[in-house]
Amino acid sequence: DSGVTQTPKHLITATGQRVTLRCSPRSGDLSVYWYQQSLDQGLQFLIQYYNGEERAKGNILERFSAQQFPDLHSELNLSSLELGDSALYFCASSVGTSGGTDTQYFGPGTRLTVL
Amino acid sequence: AQKITQTQPGMFVQEKEAVTLDCTYDTSDPSYGLFWYKQPSSGEMIFLIYQGSYDQQNATEGRYSLNFQKARKSANLVISASQLGDSAMYFCAMRSYQAGTALIFGKGTTLSVSS
């Protein structure tokens, strides 16, 4: 168990809908990262938050947004869902230091299926 | 551009044998970190081992060791005494400090361990 929790574990929804994925980082970690894993694109970085502030952006669509709350949990909002958004969405957390190992520990993921 | 290449889509090994999973990387940043993660069929991403670009010695964590050859830009994972529970997908990832805090992943290698 990495200490990172994600809910829900599975999510099935229809095209055009909006969903929210939730992540709680490991105790003491200030950084939260969101990744998308799909068969065709592999593992891709979406966005990072550090202590409530957006720190870095990757290949995140405009239909997607995220935030990190004062208690450091994070939510990833996916709207106007398309079939191609079906994927495994991971949250990872780290201490957030700029150097050193700053290993990212992953949650169990949320499997999103868009029908 | 930062890139991770894993050329072995699948590897097969018998229990108690050692196996090497290949990883080559490309970066112009002198400061970077290399990571290996394991993804069992259940889907979670498990951190295995880390190697920093300035580390003089190869990293080891239990049965896992990282064969780091900086001049060749390779960071192969060696698993000694394979176990049935090692059957999983293995991902090599890099974090380049110039490029930011996101992990860049390879496409992965599926390891199958048989008895």
Side-chain angles (χ1 to χ4, degrees):
Chain A
D1 186 347
S2 66
V4 179
T5 61
Q6 286 187 251
T7 56
K9 195 165 175 64
H10 300 279
L11 202 46
I12 302 174
T13 189
T15 53
Q17 295 298 305
R18 173 189 167 95
V19 296
T20 297
L21 313 183
R22 184 187 167 104
C23 166
S24 292
R26 295 187 321 154
S27 177
D29 285 356
L30 298 178
S31 264
V32 169
Y33 310 77
W34 287 97
Y35 290 86
Q36 179 195 58
Q37 184 179 30
S38 62
L39 282 174
D40 53 343
Q41 299 289 333
L43 269 155
Q44 288 202 96
F45 167 69
L46 296 178
I47 197 164
Q48 180 205 357
Y49 279 81
Y50 175 79
N51 203 19
E53 301 288 327
E54 183 184 302
R55 171 68 67 89
K57 242 179 180 176
N59 298 321
I60 188 165
L61 299 171
E62 284 193 13
R63 301 183 285 108
F64 296 1
S65 65
Q67 54 184 326
Q68 186 179 28
F69 295 87
D71 67 351
L72 301 177
H73 91 270
S74 177
E75 292 181 357
L76 178 67
N77 299 297
L78 315 176
S79 61
S80 303
L81 285 167
E82 302 175 358
L83 296 177
D85 297 327
S86 294
L88 186 54
Y89 290 84
F90 284 109
C91 167
S93 75
S94 73
V95 172
T97 54
S98 58
T101 68
D102 200 36
T103 299
Q104 294 179 28
Y105 293 90
F106 283 69
T110 293
R111 185 167 295 281
L112 173 66
T113 303
V114 183
L115 301 176
Chain B
Q2 331 291 324
K3 190 177 179 183
I4 293 282
T5 302
Q6 295 180 255
T7 57
Q8 308 154 313
M11 290 286 284
F12 297 86
V13 68
Q14 289 209 306
E15 265 186 306
K16 299 177 186 166
E17 290 183 350
V19 61
T20 298
L21 306 183
D22 294 342
C23 172
T24 58
Y25 59 92
D26 190 19
T27 180
S28 58
D29 188 347
S31 180
Y32 53 89
L34 296 156
F35 303 79
W36 278 91
Y37 287 85
K38 171 184 177 181
Q39 186 176 37
S41 57
S42 51
E44 71 268 32
M45 293 283 287
I46 303 166
F47 165 70
L48 296 178
I49 197 166
Y50 164 83
Q51 180 85 42
S53 59
Y54 295 118
D55 293 343
Q56 296 295 314
Q57 292 191 318
N58 288 341
T60 59
E61 289 286 349
R63 294 186 299 110
Y64 304 109
S65 60
L66 201 153
N67 184 0
F68 181 46
Q69 297 187 46
K70 196 169 182 177
R72 297 180 62 185
K73 293 191 173 180
S74 75
N76 299 338
L77 177 70
V78 180
I79 306 174
S80 63
S82 297
Q83 301 172 355
L84 293 178
D86 294 334
S87 294
M89 178 80 90
Y90 289 81
F91 290 95
C92 180
M94 176 173 66
R95 178 187 166 196
S96 161
Y97 299 109
Q98 276 181 4
T101 52
L103 289 172
I104 298 158
F105 285 86
K107 293 191 181 302
T109 295
T110 301
L111 175 65
S112 299
V113 182
S114 59
S115 56

